[in-house]
């Protein structure tokens, strides 16, 4: 198995384990009206980051041209989550141990994405800016209430 596929399987494994764990930790309201409160959806932020990592790993495994964009999107979302939490702009729902694991994955994702390590096509400036903006939007959606 090539290094690209090993890294992709590791990313997908980490993402799967964390997404299942984070989903099991969510609270389901008893009242139907609670599903329409924004505060209900904020608990799914860590699940969304895990899903982003899984999708990026899947694209990397398949050697898709979308892999570098998905890796950059995951990296920006993770870094923004950590920076906002450190600066106290938001209080992230992501546990500290997951932040450490995600930050390691984000460093690898940024390296793969911006160096075009596996010749999947260089990421353009527009794609980089789009992934940055989308990462911010995802982070603000799940943590702004």
């Amino acid at each position: 198995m090539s290094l690209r596929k090993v890294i992709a399987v590791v990313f997908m494994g980490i993402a799967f384990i964390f997404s299942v764990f984070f989903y099991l930790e969510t609270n389901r309201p008893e009242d139907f009206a609670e599903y329409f409160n924004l505060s209900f959806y904020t608990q799914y932020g860590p699940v969304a980051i895990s899903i982003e990592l899984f999708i990026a790993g899947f694209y990397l495994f398949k050697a898709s041209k979308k892999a570098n964009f998905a890796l950059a999107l995951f990296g920006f979302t993770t870094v923004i989550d950590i920076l906002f939490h450190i600066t106290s702009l938001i209080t992230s729902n992501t546990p500290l141990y997951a932040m450490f694991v995600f930050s390691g994955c984000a460093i690898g994702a940024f390296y793969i994405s911006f160096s075009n390590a596996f010749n999947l096509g260089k990421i353009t400036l527009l794609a980089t800016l789009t992934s940055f903006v989308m990462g911010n939007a995802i982070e603000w959606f799940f943590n702004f209430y």
Side-chain angles (χ1 to χ4, degrees):
M1 194 182 298
S2 68
L3 179 62
R4 174 184 53 82
K5 288 186 177 183
V6 169
I7 292 171
V9 168
V10 168
F11 280 177
M12 288 190 298
I14 290 169
F16 181 76
I17 290 168
F18 275 149
S19 63
V20 168
F21 179 74
F22 293 146
Y23 179 75
L24 293 175
E25 292 293 316
T26 59
N27 298 321
R28 274 91 158 175
E30 294 177 15
D31 185 25
F32 185 70
E34 292 294 319
Y35 286 101
F36 296 103
N37 289 338
L38 188 59
S39 61
F40 167 73
Y41 294 102
T42 59
Q43 65 184 340
Y44 288 99
V47 177
I49 294 173
S50 298
I51 291 171
E52 284 180 16
L53 179 59
F54 188 86
I55 292 170
F58 179 76
Y59 283 148
L60 186 60
F61 187 83
K62 293 292 185 181
S64 173
K65 300 276 185 201
K66 300 174 185 177
N68 286 338
F69 176 79
L71 289 165
L73 176 62
F74 163 74
F76 282 126
T77 305
T78 301
V79 168
I80 291 165
D81 183 51
I82 293 168
L83 288 177
F84 284 172
H85 185 71
I86 289 173
T87 59
S88 298
L89 288 174
I90 60 170
T91 303
S92 176
N93 292 330
T94 308
L96 190 59
Y97 64 88
M99 282 188 187
F100 283 120
V101 174
F102 284 155
S103 65
C105 292
I107 291 169
F110 278 142
Y111 176 76
I112 294 168
S113 177
F114 293 123
S115 71
N116 194 21
F118 298 116
N119 297 322
L120 300 174
K122 290 189 176 251
I123 188 166
T124 64
L125 179 62
L126 180 62
T128 302
L129 292 174
T130 304
S131 63
F132 177 75
V133 169
M134 286 178 65
N136 274 297
I138 291 166
E139 195 55 38
W140 280 107
F141 175 78
F142 286 109
N143 292 300
F144 187 72
Y145 55 92

